[in-house]
Amino acid sequence: MLRNYISQWIKRDPVRFTSLHADMISARIGMTTEQYVWRAVQVSLLAGIAFAALGFVASLSFTLPSLEGRIGITNVFGLQLPAFFSGQVPAFVIAVAVLVFSFAIGMYLGYALLMRLPGIEKTNRAIKINLTLHNAVAYMYAMRKGGAQLMPIFQSISERADIYGEVALEFRQIVRDADFFGYDVVTAIRHLSETTPSEKLKLFLEDLLSIIDGGGDMGEFLSMRVRMYQEEARFEQKQFLNVLSLVAEGYVTLFVAGPLFLIIIMVVMGMTGGTAVLQLSLVTYAILPIGSLIFIVLIDLISIKAEKTERYTTIKWLHAYPDITIVKKEDEAHQFEQLKKYDRIRTIADHIRHPLESFITNVDHTLYITVPIAILYITSVFLRVPLYRDVDVYLGVVDDHIVLALLIILIPYAIFYEIWSRKVLGIQSLVPDFLERLSGINQVGLTIAQAIAIMVNTNLGLLSYEIRRIKRDMDWGANFTEALVRFEQRVSTPAIARTVTLITKASEMSGQISEVLSIASSDAKMSEALKKERLTEMFIYTAIVYLSFFVFLFVVAVLTMQFLPILADIDTQGLSTAGSISSFGSIPLATFARILYHACLMQALFSGLIAGQMGESSVAAGVKHSCVLLIIALVTFNFVLI
């Protein structure tokens, strides 16, 4: 009944939902407007019920204050206030009113959020499309250079969503319109330009249509557009760094200086009898971690980062001789099973012979060993530590070992991640030079395979070993494409994946790909320059994070060693305000000291992660900073402040 009413409502007022319909198409929601609005109404009803329940529970303990004395604004005009504000309204009536109000607020928020969700998804898709558009255009240029027509180009890119992400998904719309709806390529391109969420892709498609209609040189157009997008990436990087600087300053202000100010105030409140322990615990165990996680997510959302890429292996059925009858023997099945068992045993044997190599290739493998060790360690600690009657003493003994268990997990992870990062970054920094040399050799008439054979003798640092492996694969029977794909699998980074995909497709289309290699080289140079620029700009904020932590640690150490003992020793028996000041004596000094220690540990852990997220666009890169800061805090409170 309600669903039919919603459908009729949309049909009577279609203009009201025009923008929603356009956002849903651009976001590729895959639902009709009626279906989505009905889903939004269902979610809003559930949100309203949840808000109403919370509001009703909160209102049970809520009573309006009596408007007597000097509460509120003085009624100098003698106005008669409604009876509702007289304080005589029953609590049940107030609870019902709050329930209805909360239900309405919950429904409104749920419905409004669902109505804006397609627009948010549209914006996210636009960012992802802009991120890889220049790579996709370079791929189009490589295929066009080899003589491919537009539709095969779009078909090829649409099949590589693992490499080109949202751009490939957009080009699937062109392929779908041509294959299933019978559109010609021009109409399909125009339809995509009308529905894509990316303004940059829209302008590119409109200019492409102009080249098609005017009979211009499409190869030259694609070449110029790739170089233009590479220059635009520098401007986007500068804008991003400005925003990131603002976020970094906001984090230092809100979650380093702010908590430090609150801690000082709450310690003083403890002297005057306030509920400082509860508030200090709230800041330490809730505000610090939750706020830091929000900042990590925020930086991740606004970061210009490469999409993760994967390459899928396809199995081809060999039917080169369809006239020959294939006979399947029953005794072959166990041989295939033996081969699978051999592969598993060989993998295990490789891990045993080269355990460190496995950890470097996939850093997450360290967790399979360190997490069980940390659990066994902390379990043995709990079994060995006696159950002290004083909870503060028990926590003071155990919390250091919890930090040690955390370091058991984090330190190996940080070490192997750093080894992997230095190796990969070293290879990526040499890729532009490698591509430039390939381009120069290809220009004199040699093939790419011959160029690889020549470059074996060159010195390209870490990349020289990989070039020798590529040459060895080709000597053992692999073609150039297969050897490059294996190189990509060994390094496994998005930049290498896109470069390999571009080169392999260009080499398949034509033997002379020097210009394509030149474009790939300039793109790799630009990526490296942007990465170095970000590291340089963010180094100052990483240093600020360290300095802010040292200030935080110093102030907390002064409070722990100088201020708290003096307050604890104050004799309050002869003071007229003994009821307030002496209440500090009821709070153990160890409780304040422990919470302050934990605040330093929280600050160390999350400040390190945010430093890595800001500087290297990876939380994993911040693990090493967290380990350093945790060790400093641990040593300071256990060996220095004695």
Side-chain angles (χ1 to χ4, degrees), residues 472-535:
R472 186 179 63 187
D473 287 343
M474 295 170 62
D475 291 340
W476 288 357
N479 57 34
F480 175 67
T481 300
E482 293 172 344
L484 272 188
V485 169
R486 291 177 183 175
F487 162 65
E488 173 204 329
Q489 291 173 344
R490 289 192 298 270
V491 181
S492 185
T493 64
I496 297 296
R498 294 191 179 101
T499 301
V500 168
T501 301
L502 178 63
I503 295 174
T504 53
K505 176 55 67 174
S507 62
E508 291 173 2
M509 302 299 297
S510 173
Q512 294 296 321
I513 60 171
S514 58
E515 192 170 353
V516 175
L517 290 172
S518 177
I519 289 178
S521 174
S522 62
D523 182 65
K525 284 182 180 178
M526 181 203 67
S527 299
E528 289 301 312
L530 295 181
K531 188 181 300 180
K532 292 179 180 178
E533 183 179 356
R534 172 171 181 167
L535 290 174

Side-chain angles (χ1 to χ4, degrees), residues 255 259-260 262-264 266-267 276-292 552 556 591-606:
F255 292 98
L260 188 59
L262 290 175
I263 285 172
I264 295 173
M266 290 171 187
V267 171
V277 172
L278 178 61
Q279 296 170 354
L280 189 58
S281 300
L282 183 65
V283 170
T284 301
Y285 304 117
I287 295 178
L288 273 178
I290 294 175
S292 299
F552 190 95
V556 170
T591 302
F592 272 95
R594 174 173 50 82
I595 297 177
L596 293 177
Y597 174 39
H598 291 176
C600 288
L601 294 177
M602 290 289 184
Q603 196 68 255
L605 177 62
F606 290 104

Side-chain angles (χ1 to χ4, degrees), residues 442-459:
N442 185 246
Q443 283 180 351
V444 300
L446 297 179
T447 63
I448 296 296
Q450 291 171 332
I452 292 292
I454 293 174
M455 292 188 64
V456 168
N457 299 321
T458 60
N459 183 14

Side-chain angles (χ1 to χ4, degrees), residues 337-349:
E337 292 297 327
Q338 289 180 352
L339 287 175
K340 291 180 180 179
K341 292 180 180 179
Y342 172 75
D343 289 337
R344 287 195 295 267
I345 294 173
R346 184 180 61 178
T347 302
I348 296 173

Side-chain angles (χ1 to χ4, degrees), residues 256 260 263-264 546-563 596 600 603 632-633 636-637 640-641:
V256 179
L260 188 59
I263 285 172
I264 295 173
Y546 271 84
L547 292 175
S548 301
F549 172 76
F550 289 141
V551 172
F552 190 95
L553 184 63
F554 175 76
V555 172
V556 170
V558 170
L559 290 175
T560 304
M561 295 299 296
Q562 302 294 330
F563 193 63
L596 293 177
C600 288
Q603 196 68 255
I632 292 173
T636 300
F637 275 87
V640 179
L641 303 180

Side-chain angles (χ1 to χ4, degrees), residues 557-579:
V558 170
L559 290 175
T560 304
M561 295 299 296
Q562 302 294 330
F563 193 63
L564 292 183
I566 293 175
L567 294 180
D569 292 338
I570 291 178
D571 186 5
T572 61
Q573 293 181 358
L575 297 177
S576 60
T577 57

Side-chain angles (χ1 to χ4, degrees), residues 60 64 116 431 502 633:
L60 293 179
L64 286 176
R116 286 167 174 76
V431 166
L502 178 63

